[in-house]
Amino acid sequence: MKDQILVGLLIVLLAMATVGCQNQPGKLQTFLVGPELRECVGVAPMMCMMVKKETDEDFLFFYDQIEGLDYEEGFTYELIVQVDEVENPPADGSALQYTLVEVVEKIPVE
């Protein structure tokens, strides 16, 4: 009898965890942002941040914006960013939205 109750509780907890995961916000990622903007071409010529996700990677052009980030050239940043999928993105827009969660470090470049 106790085993049946425990199995039943386990099933209920697993079901709740599965339903809860479906309503979670987007994925959190760490971004390392370089100290200067660079010329790049998206839909039109523009200035892009240089971003990488791992320290041993090369910086790559970042064509989007990070909502909530007040970027200043001359600093390197370590950021925690929430990445969400955009429903029905415009034809010339990104399918992802980036929102600043935390500035972990902001270090002046000498």
Side-chain angles (χ1 to χ4, degrees):
M1 181 75 168
K2 286 183 182 179
D3 290 337
Q4 289 176 338
I5 292 173
L6 289 174
V7 169
L9 285 173
L10 182 59
I11 291 171
V12 169
L13 289 173
L14 287 173
M16 289 172 55
T18 302
V19 170
C21 288
Q22 293 173 354
N23 296 322
Q24 293 296 316
K27 182 178 177 183
L28 295 181
Q29 293 185 351
T30 300
F31 283 13
L32 303 170
V33 182
E36 61 187 32
L37 299 175
R38 299 240 176 112
E39 289 183 16
C40 60
V41 178
V43 174
M46 56 194 255
M47 299 300 285
C48 289
M49 288 187 290
M50 302 301 293
V51 172
K52 60 183 174 178
K53 296 179 185 173
E54 300 290 334
T55 1
D56 59 347
E57 293 179 350
D58 292 331
F59 280 103
L60 301 173
F61 290 111
F62 187 74
Y63 295 91
D64 288 303
Q65 300 296 316
I66 300 173
E67 187 176 314
L69 175 62
D70 185 19
Y71 178 81
E72 270 185 86
E73 284 192 279
F75 293 88
T76 58
Y77 293 83
E78 181 179 349
L79 309 174
I80 305 295
V81 176
Q82 180 173 316
V83 182
D84 292 300
E85 289 187 24
V86 175
E87 289 187 35
N88 303 316
D92 61 347
S94 176
L96 299 174
Q97 177 181 347
Y98 301 89
T99 306
L100 178 65
V101 173
E102 180 183 355
V103 176
V104 177
E105 284 189 298
K106 179 179 178 183
I107 302 168
V109 175
E110 295 177 13

